[in-house]
């Protein structure tokens, strides 16, 4: 008997996930108990859609965080004789830290199960942060475009539509190639795009507290110190402290994803701003003599947060799909990396004979995106209730 | 209206100029030119030989000169020759676009009715169990990108059902489908056997989004005053939905469906690469992998044109469908 049955495979997989179950039980249990005190997040526990969404998202978050405690085998280790092994194949001779390839072996005789788990780390590291950056860019540009209208608006909208009209795949093929990394394009794009969060926070504090110099200097120096440090580290790989760094490969993917996502965010923010600026409280602020940036960041933005949070959830899911697409075409990922999209692509080339290689990462990606979409739906329902 | 369309056309031309310029710039970056030389010429050329190769074929001439040359070609209908397929680009593109057009056609005639049906059924009685169930289905479908549903469908229809069909006599033969659409452009033409999987895969991802939009718009219409009047008048629920609500509820999804085209374009690339269907998407992938400049330029021109024209149609159509909207 060289294989174990499907029932045993799933039972063993479930046991291996014990740190995730534990973390999920603690977090979701306590959140459920105190849900009445947790405002928006707590309200999500009122509906099944919200609970399932939170469950799926947290499941992958904890899997990514605790990956080292879950993986039974080294995801890069090739074991002879395990090439394209069917799920549940027992590793021939001992010596390995675990005795079974739960979800089988891939084309290079590596453990599909461990690779799926480690693959979640790249996705969950890049997708949410890239989406947040895209939001910073979209908000910083969308607010003035919607508020001032006129020439700024025309030019920015034209640029946004320009990027949106670009076929995404073509853009990725042109931007995320090894050759591009030798040119200054990714770094200069990063230099521009990563500037927006810093600008955003500087304006955010300055517009409100500029009348109180003691406070504003303190805040601004904090923002510029932290922001500048992250900016140097992420965009130029020149962190003076040597903590933050991003390898050129990841930077390339990251920048392209932010670049593709921000025009859509820009359009949403612009639309919301144009709608909200006609409200009475904006008129009141204008009559008080508040400056435009104060009105945009402290009057309009907080009132636009509902749709924006929903869109943030959806967009993280969309970014996950985009990252999968990149991997699927083998763009911007090193061939050994356990990226989900890449694994799907590898499995697809042999799926007529072996089906199990592509299926686990495909289902993993689907459940993560499904969780995010359900979460977005639950959030939308909640915001409609208010 | 005429001025509106003219102005939009002007912006369109400007967008296309800017985009082709960017694509031209990116494809002519040195690393990409070297990729072209290595794939089209000899793989084992030294650096010096590569440069010589590029020089001989005129790739190292000033950038703007070559861009305007290309632009001149566009206006005279000459898009150059594809280095990857050794064929005039216009000829190749026409052939490939026709193949993709067929795929799109089938995707649209399956996706749109299914999405509208789901959306209308879910939206007509908001908050019921039917609505919840259908909403979960459409959320699930938006969470399934083509490369995931493609894998799942192929595993099911192409390998599992094949094995079942061979072992069990009762198993319906027609459920076993081909996991490759390569034969659809060949002699056998489009058949149910080779075309269902790609169409299904593509339709699923877009369906959920359109269904969600239809549902939202339907739910909004169902709370309108005239629906209440109709109900109080004693009109049957069925005819309220069909006669009163549907017409107004379908305006918003119309725009959404039109704006789906750019999205479908990405889907086309994935699905065609996945199922090996020789259409526009596969041409784009192969052109990009080999940095086939002329073909890439033509591909981007075609896809941008599709995106912009559908946007224009959706805007104009919206005005016609919704008389309350006036354009300035």
């Amino acid at each position: 008997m060289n294989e174990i049955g499907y029932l045993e495979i799933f039972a063993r997989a479930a046991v291996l996930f014990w740190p995730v179950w534990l973390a999920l039980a603690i977090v979701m249990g306590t959140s459920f108990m105190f849900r009445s005190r947790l405002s928006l997040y707590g309200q999500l526990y009122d509906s099944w859609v919200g609970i399932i969404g939170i469950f799926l998202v947290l499941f992958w978050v904890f899997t990514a965080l605790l990956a080292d405690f879950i993986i039974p085998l080294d995801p890069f280790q090739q074991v002879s004789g395990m090439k394209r092994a069917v799920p549940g194949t027992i590793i021939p001779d001992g010596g390995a830290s675990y005795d079974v390839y739960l979800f089988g072996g891939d084309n290079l005789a590596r453990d599909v199960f461990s690779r799926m788990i480690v693959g979640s780390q790249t996705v969950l590291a890049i997708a949410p942060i890239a989406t947040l950056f895209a939001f910073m860019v979209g908000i910083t540009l969308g607010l003035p475009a919607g508020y001032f209208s006129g020439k700024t608006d025309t030019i920015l909208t034209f640029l946004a539509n320009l990027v949106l009209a670009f076929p995404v795949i073509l853009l990725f093929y042109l931007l995320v190639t090894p050759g591009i990394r030798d040119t200054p394009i990714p770094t200069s794009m990063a230099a521009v795009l990563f500037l927006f969060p810093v600008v955003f926070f500087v304006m955010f504090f300055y517009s409100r507290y500029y009348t109180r110099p003691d406070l504003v200097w303190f805040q601004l120096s904090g923002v510029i110190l932290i922001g500048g440090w992250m900016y140097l580290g992420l965009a130029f790989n020149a962190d003076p402290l040597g903590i933050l760094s991003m390898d050129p490969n990841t930077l390339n993917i990251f920048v392209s994803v932010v670049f593709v996502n921000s025009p859509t965010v820009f359009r949403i923010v612009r639309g919301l701003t144009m709608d909200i600026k006609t409200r009475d409280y904006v008129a009141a602020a204008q009559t008080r003599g508040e400056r435009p940036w104060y009105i945009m960041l402290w009057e309009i933005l907080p009132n636009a947060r509902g749709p924006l949070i929903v869109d943030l959830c959806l967009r993280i899911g969309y970014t996950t799909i985009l990252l999968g697409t990149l991997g699927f075409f083998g763009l911007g990922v090193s061939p050994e990396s356990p990226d989900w999209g890449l694994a799907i692509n590898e499995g697809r080339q042999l799926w007529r004979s072996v089906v199990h290689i592509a299926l686990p990462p495909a289902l993993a990606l689907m459940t993560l995106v499904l969780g995010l979409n359900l979460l977005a739906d639950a959030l939308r329902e909640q915001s409609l209730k208010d | 209206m005429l001025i509106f369309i003219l102005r939009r056309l002007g912006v369109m031309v400007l967008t296309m100029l800017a985009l082709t310029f960017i694509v031209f710039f990116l494809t002519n970056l040195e690393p990409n030119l070297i990729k072209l030389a290595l794939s089209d010429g000899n793989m084992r050329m030294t650096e010096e030989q590569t440069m010589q190769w590029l020089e001989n074929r005129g790739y190292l001439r000033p950038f703007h000169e070559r861009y305007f040359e290309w632009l001149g070609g566009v206006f005279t209908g000459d898009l150059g020759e594809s280095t990857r397929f050794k064929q005039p680009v216009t000829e190749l593109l026409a052939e490939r676009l026709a193949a993709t057009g067929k795929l799109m056609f089938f995707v649209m005639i399956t996706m749109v009715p299914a999405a509208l049906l789901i959306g209308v059924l879910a939206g007509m009685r908001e908050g019921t169990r039917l609505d919840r169930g259908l909403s979960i289905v459409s959320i699930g479908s938006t969470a399934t990108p083509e490369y995931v549903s493609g894998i799942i469908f192929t595993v099911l229809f192409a390998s599992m059902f094949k094995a079942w069909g061979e072992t069990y006599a009762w198993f319906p033969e027609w459920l076993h489908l081909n996991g490759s659409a390569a034969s659809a452009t060949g002699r056998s033409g489009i058949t149910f056997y080779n075309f269902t999987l790609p169409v299904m895969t593509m339709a699923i991802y877009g369906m959920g989004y359109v269904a969600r939009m239809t549902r939202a718009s339907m739910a909004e219409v169902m709370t309108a005053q005239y629906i209440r009047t109709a109900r109080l008048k004693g009109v049957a629920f069925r005819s309220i939905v069909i006669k009163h609500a549907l017409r107004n509820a379908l305006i918003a999804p119309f725009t959404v469906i039109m704006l789906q085209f750019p999205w479908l374009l990405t889907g086309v690339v994935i699905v065609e690469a996945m199922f090996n269907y020789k259409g526009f998407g596969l041409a784009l992938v192969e052109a990009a992998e080999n940095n086939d400049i002329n073909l890439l330029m033509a591909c981007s021109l075609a896809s941008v044109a599709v995106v912009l024209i559908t946007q224009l149609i959706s805007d104009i159509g919206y005005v016609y469908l919704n008389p309350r909207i006036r354009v300035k």
Side-chain angles (χ1 to χ4, degrees), chain A residues 3-14 90 98-100 102:
Chain A
E3 295 154 29
I4 56 173
Y6 273 94
L7 212 63
E8 199 181 338
I9 292 176
F10 288 114
R12 281 191 183 215
I90 292 168
Y98 197 69
D99 57 339
V100 179
L102 282 176

Side-chain angles (χ1 to χ4, degrees), chain B residues 1-319:
Chain B
M1 191 67 189
L2 191 67
I3 293 170
F4 168 75
I5 294 177
L6 280 179
R7 200 200 287 150
R8 285 293 298 265
L9 284 174
V11 174
M12 256 169 75
V13 171
L14 199 63
T15 312
M16 280 165 111
L17 272 178
L19 271 178
T20 48
F21 186 80
I22 296 170
V23 174
F24 201 72
F25 172 74
L26 287 171
T27 48
N28 279 292
L29 287 172
E30 200 177 297
N32 282 336
L33 279 179
I34 290 172
K35 189 161 82 177
L36 168 72
L38 293 184
S39 68
D40 195 37
N42 190 342
M43 275 303 269
R44 270 169 289 180
M45 283 190 290
T46 60
E47 210 166 305
E48 207 170 301
Q49 281 171 318
T50 311
M51 282 302 149
Q52 192 59 45
W53 190 92
L54 288 172
E55 178 82 64
N56 289 344
R57 278 158 188 77
Y59 285 113
L60 299 182
R61 281 183 299 137
F63 173 72
H64 55 93
E65 198 176 292
R66 291 176 39 235
Y67 177 69
F68 284 113
E69 208 174 273
W70 179 84
L71 212 58
V74 172
F75 288 115
T76 52
D78 172 28
L79 293 169
E81 178 125 347
S82 155
T83 49
R84 166 73 180 77
F85 295 96
K86 310 279 180 248
Q87 201 182 354
V89 168
T90 31
E91 201 176 287
L92 181 83
L93 203 67
E95 196 179 292
R96 293 302 185 94
L97 277 175
T100 297
K102 282 180 199 153
L103 181 63
M104 287 281 217
F105 172 73
F106 281 102
V107 169
M108 280 299 178
I109 61 165
T110 42
M111 184 186 91
V112 172
L116 292 183
L117 190 70
I118 291 179
V120 168
L121 284 179
M124 70 183 188
R125 288 174 202 251
E126 207 188 348
T128 54
R129 198 166 287 169
L130 181 72
D131 174 28
R132 297 247 172 77
L134 288 174
S135 293
I136 298 279
V137 169
S138 37
I139 293 174
S141 101
T142 49
T144 323
E146 289 90 353
Y147 48 87
V148 170
S149 53
I151 293 278
I152 296 172
F153 287 153
T154 322
V155 167
L156 269 180
F157 290 94
S159 17
M160 262 170 85
F161 287 180
K162 187 183 180 210
W164 288 5
E166 281 159 5
T167 34
Y168 308 112
W170 53 265
F171 194 78
E173 193 63 39
W174 59 268
L175 266 180
H176 165 223
L177 297 168
N178 196 347
S180 155
S183 59
T185 42
R187 222 177 308 141
S188 73
I190 295 168
T191 58
F192 183 77
Y193 176 63
N194 65 22
F195 220 52
T196 315
L197 282 186
V199 170
M200 221 159 79
T201 305
M202 254 185 92
I204 289 278
Y205 185 40
M207 191 187 76
Y209 187 63
V210 179
R212 299 287 292 159
M213 288 297 163
T214 316
R215 178 191 170 273
S217 141
M218 186 74 190
E220 197 189 316
V221 168
M222 288 306 279
T223 57
Q225 295 284 340
Y226 57 88
I227 297 290
R228 206 183 61 175
T229 313
R231 290 192 106 160
L232 292 175
K233 218 162 63 171
V235 182
F237 186 71
R238 178 191 296 259
S239 69
I240 290 183
V241 170
I242 294 172
K243 283 194 188 141
H244 299 262
L246 259 186
R247 233 180 265 177
N248 291 301
L250 291 184
I251 297 172
F254 168 78
T255 1
V256 175
I257 292 167
M258 281 322 236
L259 294 179
Q260 278 280 298
F261 273 96
W263 217 352
L264 284 178
L265 220 57
T266 313
V268 155
V269 179
I270 297 173
V271 166
E272 285 181 3
M274 220 170 177
F275 293 99
N276 212 357
Y277 179 68
K278 285 196 184 54
F280 175 76
L282 203 59
L284 198 153
V285 169
E286 282 179 61
E289 269 166 4
N290 298 290
N291 201 41
D292 182 340
I293 297 178
N294 283 333
L295 187 53
L296 268 180
M297 293 298 284
C299 279
S300 46
L301 203 60
S303 46
V304 170
V306 169
V307 171
L308 295 179
I309 290 170
T310 46
Q311 265 175 18
L312 186 65
I313 294 176
S314 93
D315 283 354
I316 296 171
Y318 196 68
V319 175

